[in-house]
Amino acid sequence: MYRIIMNLQEYTHNISGTICLILGYLLACVLFVLVIGPMHNAIKGRAAWSNGDEWVAENGYLSMNPKMSFHWIGLLSVVVTRLGFTKRVRYRQRYFDAPVLGTIWLSLSGILTYLLCSAILVFFCALMGRVNSFDITTPTIVPQEQLPFFGCVFHTSFAMVFYASRMCIYSALFNLIPIAPMDMGEILFLLIGKHWSDVIKKNDLFISVGLFLLAFFVLGMPDSFVVTFSTDIITMMSSAFNFIINIFL
């Protein structure tokens, strides 16, 4: 969002393109909050359920109900920084068939969900960039001329897919941080024991604010490691998908 605001001067010649870009970004935020975030938590819940904890099913963690994953600081982070995080999936580790392996799988399942969603979105982004007839190869650069109605619809959809893919890859990388509410925080809880786990959980609000500030400054720097590495990953995926698309188109 910061980059969009800073770059608006580049789009003053094309009001419809500016609106499409902003609307696409906001729709990407909605997609993350209502679909991708709940999917992330539902898959983590299923990972816990498959390891023997039936409590997650009884408490609705296997569904994609946004209420189960909504985190207001995570929502603010999505809009401002393009990094989203959800509420922790609450589970009972003592009922796991294999507590250590089950916890590791629980953590990895959330990260892999974001990576899979990112790959799917990058594929659609590459496909849309190749098949459109509006001369739009990337949604952040609009044509000089005003777009027709269907061109605006396409540009908005293109921007939504483009930004949602970035949100997923940023979320996957940040979830490697071993602290709650990040996915790798589950392994941290396994290592430090119940007492310190409870202490961290009680300070979830402060930790979430800290993560938001970290994301704001790290993702706000175009040359930061996370942004550079994310761009490299997305570029590699785009190249692979473009190669596949060239075969069939």
Side-chain angles (χ1 to χ4, degrees), residues 158-189:
F158 198 3
M160 177 187 70
V161 175
F162 177 87
Y163 285 116
S165 67
R166 269 65 182 168
M167 291 174 185
C168 289
I169 200 70
Y170 287 153
S171 298
L173 292 179
F174 266 81
N175 269 281
L176 293 173
I177 300 174
I179 191 68
M182 300 290 100
D183 289 332
M184 291 301 288
E186 310 296 348
I187 296 180
L188 175 67
F189 292 152

Coordinates of all heavy atoms in Angstrom, one line a residue, residues 158-189:
F158 N -6.3 -8.8 -12.5 CA -4.8 -9.1 -12.6 C -4.1 -8.5 -11.4 O -3.2 -9.2 -10.8 CB -4.3 -8.4 -13.9 CG -3.0 -8.9 -14.4 CD1 -2.3 -9.9 -13.8 CD2 -2.4 -8.3 -15.5 CE1 -1.1 -10.4 -14.3 CE2 -1.2 -8.7 -16.0 CZ -0.5 -9.8 -15.4
A159 N -4.4 -7.3 -11.0 CA -3.8 -6.7 -9.8 C -4.1 -7.5 -8.5 O -3.2 -7.7 -7.7 CB -4.2 -5.3 -9.6
M160 N -5.3 -8.0 -8.4 CA -5.7 -8.8 -7.3 C -4.8 -10.1 -7.2 O -4.3 -10.4 -6.1 CB -7.2 -9.2 -7.3 CG -7.6 -10.1 -6.2 SD -9.4 -10.7 -6.4 CE -9.1 -11.8 -7.8
V161 N -4.7 -10.8 -8.3 CA -3.9 -12.0 -8.3 C -2.4 -11.7 -8.0 O -1.8 -12.4 -7.3 CB -4.1 -12.7 -9.6 CG1 -3.2 -14.0 -9.7 CG2 -5.5 -13.2 -9.8
F162 N -2.0 -10.6 -8.6 CA -0.6 -10.2 -8.5 C -0.2 -10.0 -7.0 O 0.7 -10.5 -6.5 CB -0.3 -9.0 -9.3 CG 1.1 -8.4 -9.2 CD1 2.1 -8.9 -10.0 CD2 1.4 -7.4 -8.3 CE1 3.4 -8.4 -9.9 CE2 2.6 -6.9 -8.2 CZ 3.7 -7.4 -9.0
Y163 N -1.0 -9.1 -6.4 CA -0.7 -8.8 -5.0 C -1.0 -9.9 -4.0 O -0.3 -10.1 -3.0 CB -1.5 -7.5 -4.6 CG -1.0 -6.2 -5.2 CD1 -1.7 -5.5 -6.1 CD2 0.3 -5.8 -4.9 CE1 -1.2 -4.3 -6.6 CE2 0.8 -4.6 -5.4 CZ 0.1 -3.9 -6.3 OH 0.6 -2.8 -6.9
A164 N -2.0 -10.7 -4.3 CA -2.3 -11.8 -3.4 C -1.1 -12.8 -3.4 O -0.8 -13.4 -2.4 CB -3.6 -12.5 -3.8
S165 N -0.5 -13.0 -4.6 CA 0.6 -13.9 -4.6 C 1.8 -13.4 -3.8 O 2.5 -14.2 -3.1 CB 1.1 -14.1 -6.1 OG 1.6 -12.9 -6.6
R166 N 2.0 -12.1 -3.8 CA 3.0 -11.5 -2.9 C 2.7 -11.7 -1.4 O 3.6 -11.9 -0.6 CB 3.2 -10.0 -3.3 CG 4.2 -9.7 -4.3 CD 3.8 -10.3 -5.6 NE 4.9 -10.0 -6.7 CZ 4.8 -10.6 -7.9 NH1 3.9 -11.5 -8.2 NH2 5.8 -10.4 -8.8
M167 N 1.4 -11.5 -1.1 CA 1.0 -11.6 0.3 C 1.3 -13.1 0.8 O 1.8 -13.3 1.9 CB -0.5 -11.3 0.4 CG -0.8 -9.9 0.2 SD -2.6 -9.6 0.2 CE -2.7 -7.9 -0.2
C168 N 1.0 -14.0 -0.1 CA 1.3 -15.4 0.3 C 2.8 -15.7 0.5 O 3.1 -16.4 1.5 CB 0.7 -16.4 -0.7 SG -1.1 -16.4 -0.8
I169 N 3.6 -15.3 -0.4 CA 5.0 -15.6 -0.3 C 5.6 -14.8 0.9 O 6.5 -15.4 1.6 CB 5.8 -15.2 -1.6 CG1 7.1 -16.0 -1.7 CG2 6.0 -13.8 -1.8 CD1 7.0 -17.5 -1.9
Y170 N 5.2 -13.6 1.1 CA 5.7 -12.9 2.3 C 5.3 -13.6 3.6 O 6.1 -13.7 4.5 CB 5.2 -11.4 2.4 CG 5.8 -10.5 1.3 CD1 5.1 -9.4 0.9 CD2 7.1 -10.7 0.8 CE1 5.7 -8.6 -0.1 CE2 7.6 -9.9 -0.1 CZ 6.9 -8.8 -0.6 OH 7.5 -8.0 -1.5
S171 N 4.0 -14.0 3.6 CA 3.5 -14.7 4.8 C 4.3 -16.0 5.0 O 4.6 -16.4 6.2 CB 2.0 -15.0 4.7 OG 1.3 -13.8 4.6
A172 N 4.6 -16.8 4.0 CA 5.3 -18.0 4.1 C 6.7 -17.8 4.7 O 7.1 -18.5 5.6 CB 5.4 -18.7 2.7
L173 N 7.4 -16.7 4.2 CA 8.7 -16.5 4.7 C 8.7 -16.0 6.2 O 9.5 -16.4 7.0 CB 9.4 -15.4 3.8 CG 9.8 -15.9 2.4 CD1 10.4 -14.8 1.6 CD2 10.7 -17.1 2.5
F174 N 7.8 -15.1 6.5 CA 7.7 -14.6 7.9 C 7.3 -15.7 8.8 O 7.6 -15.6 10.0 CB 6.8 -13.4 8.0 CG 7.4 -12.1 7.8 CD1 7.8 -11.6 6.6 CD2 7.8 -11.3 8.9 CE1 8.4 -10.3 6.4 CE2 8.4 -10.1 8.8 CZ 8.7 -9.6 7.5
N175 N 6.5 -16.7 8.4 CA 6.1 -17.8 9.3 C 7.3 -18.7 9.6 O 7.1 -19.6 10.4 CB 5.0 -18.5 8.6 CG 3.6 -18.0 9.0 OD1 3.1 -18.2 10.1 ND2 3.0 -17.2 8.2
L176 N 8.4 -18.5 9.0 CA 9.6 -19.2 9.4 C 10.2 -18.7 10.7 O 11.1 -19.3 11.3 CB 10.7 -19.2 8.3 CG 10.3 -19.9 7.0 CD1 11.4 -19.6 5.9 CD2 10.2 -21.4 7.3
I177 N 9.8 -17.5 11.1 CA 10.2 -16.9 12.4 C 9.7 -17.7 13.6 O 8.5 -17.9 13.7 CB 9.8 -15.4 12.5 CG1 10.4 -14.6 11.4 CG2 10.3 -14.9 13.9 CD1 9.9 -13.2 11.4
P178 N 10.5 -18.3 14.4 CA 10.0 -19.1 15.5 C 9.4 -18.4 16.7 O 10.0 -18.4 17.8 CB 11.3 -19.9 15.9 CG 12.4 -19.0 15.6 CD 12.0 -18.2 14.4
I179 N 8.3 -17.7 16.5 CA 7.6 -17.0 17.5 C 6.1 -17.0 17.2 O 5.7 -17.0 16.0 CB 8.2 -15.6 17.7 CG1 7.7 -14.9 19.0 CG2 7.8 -14.7 16.5 CD1 8.2 -15.5 20.2
A180 N 5.3 -17.1 18.2 CA 3.9 -17.0 18.0 C 3.5 -15.6 17.5 O 4.1 -14.6 18.0 CB 3.1 -17.3 19.3
P181 N 2.5 -15.4 16.7 CA 1.6 -16.5 16.1 C 2.1 -17.1 14.8 O 1.3 -17.6 14.1 CB 0.3 -15.7 15.9 CG 0.8 -14.3 15.5 CD 2.1 -14.1 16.3
M182 N 3.4 -17.0 14.5 CA 3.9 -17.6 13.3 C 3.9 -19.1 13.4 O 3.9 -19.7 14.5 CB 5.4 -17.1 13.0 CG 5.5 -15.6 12.9 SD 4.8 -15.0 11.3 CE 3.2 -14.3 11.8
D183 N 3.9 -19.8 12.3 CA 3.8 -21.2 12.3 C 4.9 -21.9 13.0 O 4.7 -22.9 13.7 CB 3.7 -21.7 10.8 CG 2.4 -21.4 10.1 OD1 1.4 -21.2 10.9 OD2 2.4 -21.2 8.9
M184 N 6.2 -21.4 12.8 CA 7.3 -22.1 13.5 C 7.3 -21.8 15.0 O 8.1 -22.5 15.7 CB 8.6 -21.5 12.9 CG 8.8 -22.0 11.4 SD 8.9 -23.8 11.2 CE 10.5 -24.1 12.0
G185 N 6.4 -21.0 15.4 CA 6.2 -20.8 16.9 C 5.8 -22.0 17.6 O 6.0 -22.2 18.8
E186 N 5.1 -22.9 16.8 CA 4.6 -24.2 17.4 C 5.8 -25.0 17.8 O 5.8 -25.7 18.9 CB 3.7 -25.0 16.4 CG 2.6 -24.2 15.7 CD 1.6 -23.7 16.7 OE1 1.6 -24.2 17.9 OE2 0.8 -22.9 16.3
I187 N 6.9 -25.0 17.0 CA 8.1 -25.8 17.4 C 8.8 -25.1 18.6 O 9.3 -25.8 19.4 CB 9.0 -25.9 16.2 CG1 8.3 -26.7 15.0 CG2 10.3 -26.5 16.6 CD1 9.1 -26.9 13.8
L188 N 8.7 -23.8 18.6 CA 9.3 -23.1 19.8 C 8.6 -23.5 21.1 O 9.3 -23.8 22.1 CB 9.2 -21.6 19.6 CG 9.6 -20.7 20.8 CD1 11.1 -20.9 21.0 CD2 9.2 -19.3 20.6
F189 N 7.3 -23.6 21.0 CA 6.5 -24.0 22.2 C 6.9 -25.5 22.6 O 7.0 -25.8 23.8 CB 5.0 -24.0 21.9 CG 4.5 -22.6 21.8 CD1 3.4 -22.4 21.0 CD2 5.1 -21.5 22.4 CE1 2.9 -21.1 20.8 CE2 4.6 -20.2 22.2 CZ 3.5 -20.0 21.4

